[in-house]
Amino acid sequence: MTASVFVAGKLLPETMEALDKWDVKTYKGKENITESELIKNVTDVEAIICPLSSPITAKVLESAKNLKIVANIGAGFDNIDVKKAQELGIAVTNTPDVSTEATAELTLGLILDVARRISAGDRLCRETPEQFKGWAPTFFLGTELSGKTLGIIGLGRIGQAVAKRAAAFGMKIIYSGHHPKEAAKQWDAEFVSQDELLKRSDVVTIHAAYSPSLKHLLNETTLNTMKSSAFLINAARGPVVEESALINALETGVIAGAAIDVFEFEPKIGAELGKLENVVLTPHIGNATVETRTEMGRMAISNVEAVLAGKQPLHSVY
């Protein structure tokens, strides 16, 4: 009998074509799938392939009596009740490491954007072009990266990929958290405490793997230890930064600016953030490249193939 697979969101055509070996049902809604929609669709399926936005709760898992695997498309898996899945003997997989280059590229893009005011300049040219009177010595000044200190919270794979790129811009690298001594030598990166990192950095970027203990790592207290000329970058997980504290820090000049790809209450983006000129906002596109999303789909399918064939998954989260 052909295995039954439920796909909980729109995937790339190449990924969908590779699923034709199974009996596939796909969620067609325009909004992210809800818990109730999942429960209705997974009663008899053997596999679920889902994006990070799919709430694979205990109720969903309990309703899927034949389920053998949940294959998450994404490195994270906090949308899945992993403990319940483990209790029920359901494999849970993710797509680790594949996002490294894309996320590092976006991070550098965000740093350049907020430091050199690229998006703000674009808005000026489109919305108020009359403000541009021609080149002038004091007009629309930004900040150079060369010679500045980049503080990386979490020098794992993505953090290291960011360090490599930032070093090419002439930035000095300091880091806290994960401590890969040998890798850090490539960029003469200095290991420091988080408190020292926040005090010394001209740019702070977060790349620590998320856990509940990191919620509001950047809050009113920690933001106040940063330089008033510093920029904060978050392309990791939204809850690491307390949104209300960040808004206040940006409004009152506690820090110079921020560039944010992920949000505390995602998919909701705080209206106050959108009103600020010293913040760059992108809609969680850290790994949103054709190359990365294609590979993520391939990895998810490989995990499903393995489990349905009675083998161990390739990328188990437990």
Side-chain angles (χ1 to χ4, degrees):
M1 255 181 95
T2 305
S4 175
V5 177
F6 180 66
V7 179
K10 186 177 180 180
L11 304 179
L12 292 178
E14 295 89 339
T15 305
M16 294 306 300
E17 288 170 12
L19 294 170
D20 62 8
K21 67 193 83 176
W22 298 309
D23 177 15
V24 177
K25 183 166 55 172
T26 305
Y27 173 64
K28 304 289 188 182
K30 293 182 180 179
E31 305 293 329
N32 290 335
I33 196 167
T34 62
E35 180 187 59
S36 59
E37 283 288 340
L38 276 160
I39 290 171
K40 283 195 295 184
N41 282 283
V42 302
T43 306
D44 300 316
V45 303
E46 294 172 69
I48 298 172
I49 298 177
C50 56
L52 283 168
S53 53
S54 304
I56 311 298
T57 63
K59 289 182 180 179
V60 172
L61 295 168
E62 289 169 343
S63 69
K65 303 303 181 184
N66 299 323
L67 189 62
K68 297 177 181 176
I69 177 173
V70 178
N72 224 34
I73 293 185
F77 46 88
D78 48 323
N79 59 308
I80 302 170
D81 190 328
V82 174
K83 183 178 179 182
K84 176 57 70 174
Q86 197 167 11
E87 288 176 9
L88 297 172
I90 298 167
V92 178
T93 63
N94 64 343
T95 56
D97 307 336
V98 69
S99 302
T100 299
E101 301 303 320
T103 305
E105 287 179 2
L106 181 77
T107 299
L108 256 293
L110 292 174
I111 294 171
L112 284 164
D113 195 333
V114 71
R116 294 301 308 274
R117 305 177 67 191
I118 297 170
S119 289
D122 179 79
R123 287 193 297 274
L124 182 146
C125 291
R126 293 173 187 273
E127 298 170 11
T128 55
E130 67 279 2
Q131 291 187 28
F132 179 50
K133 309 297 184 183
W135 187 94
T138 60
F139 178 68
F140 223 77
L141 300 180
T143 301
E144 291 184 12
L145 300 184
S146 180
K148 301 301 192 299
T149 297
L150 174 65
I152 301 176
I153 299 176
L155 198 67
R157 286 185 178 87
I158 295 175
Q160 290 175 37
V162 170
K164 175 183 176 181
R165 289 160 172 79
F169 279 84
M171 299 191 80
K172 174 179 173 54
I173 311 298
I174 62 176
Y175 68 101
S176 64
H178 188 59
H179 188 18
K181 295 181 181 179
E182 292 305 312
K185 289 178 182 177
Q186 301 174 64
W187 315 289
D188 293 322
E190 180 186 356
F191 181 68
V192 298
S193 68
Q194 182 184 298
D195 187 56
E196 185 176 350
L197 180 145
L198 293 174
K199 289 177 179 177
R200 288 174 51 187
S201 297
D202 298 298
V203 180
V204 174
T205 183
I206 304 163
H207 298 292
Y210 185 71
S211 67
S213 64
L214 292 183
K215 183 175 181 179
H216 293 176
L217 181 71
L218 276 296
N219 52 46
E220 181 180 1
T221 301
T222 51
L223 286 168
N224 271 295
T225 65
M226 293 174 63
K227 295 180 180 180
S228 60
S229 58
F231 301 104
L232 175 66
I233 315 297
N234 187 11
R237 286 289 184 270
V240 175
V241 179
E242 185 177 14
E243 188 173 283
S244 60
L246 174 63
I247 290 168
N248 182 65
L250 292 167
E251 288 178 335
T252 59
V254 169
I255 61 174
I260 308 296
D261 185 51
V262 289
F263 304 90
E264 183 175 2
F265 306 107
E266 196 168 312
K268 181 182 177 183
I269 300 172
E272 295 89 347
L273 282 173
K275 297 174 184 176
L276 297 170
E277 279 296 308
N278 57 343
V279 63
V280 175
L281 306 175
T282 52
H284 203 151
I285 57 173
N287 61 27
T289 65
V290 172
E291 295 84 356
T292 293
R293 295 289 170 84
T294 299
E295 180 61 12
M296 291 167 80
R298 186 200 65 76
M299 291 170 72
I301 291 170
S302 295
N303 283 309
V304 171
E305 284 177 334
V307 171
L308 294 184
K311 300 175 183 178
Q312 291 297 311
L314 305 177
H315 308 98
S316 177
V317 305
Y318 61 78

